[in-house]
Amino acid sequence: MSETTTANRRKNAPQGCKVPVLTHLTSEERSELDQLAEQEMRSLSSTMRMICLKGLAAHQAEKPAPSTH
């Protein structure tokens, strides 16, 4: 990381976010995540949470509507 310190980063997790999720990334994916976190002045956890929430929303939007037969 560069000169950005943890104290300078935004805290974005709402109260109650206490359930960790472990995931595995390739070196390239981790590098991209590090760069994005630094650009947005977020922690890695906050950046990963943001990506996950956006991905969940996109996934939900792709689901077909339930049939009403």
Side-chain angles (χ1 to χ4, degrees), residues 35-53:
Q35 289 175 6
L36 182 59
E38 190 169 323
Q39 288 170 2
E40 297 190 0
M41 295 182 65
R42 296 177 185 267
S43 67
L44 287 174
S45 293
S46 176
T47 302
M48 197 66 210
R49 183 173 190 275
M50 176 193 64
I51 291 169
C52 184
L53 292 174

Side-chain angles (χ1 to χ4, degrees), residues 3-52:
E3 297 177 17
T4 304
T5 64
T6 303
N8 292 338
R9 293 176 188 253
R10 294 183 290 178
K11 294 187 180 186
N12 296 302
Q15 291 286 18
C17 287
K18 297 179 181 177
V19 183
V21 175
L22 176 66
T23 189
H24 296 271
L25 302 173
T26 65
S27 296
E28 293 81 16
E29 292 164 342
R30 174 60 190 259
S31 180
E32 286 184 54
L33 184 62
D34 287 337
Q35 289 175 6
L36 182 59
E38 190 169 323
Q39 288 170 2
E40 297 190 0
M41 295 182 65
R42 296 177 185 267
S43 67
L44 287 174
S45 293
S46 176
T47 302
M48 197 66 210
R49 183 173 190 275
M50 176 193 64
I51 291 169
C52 184

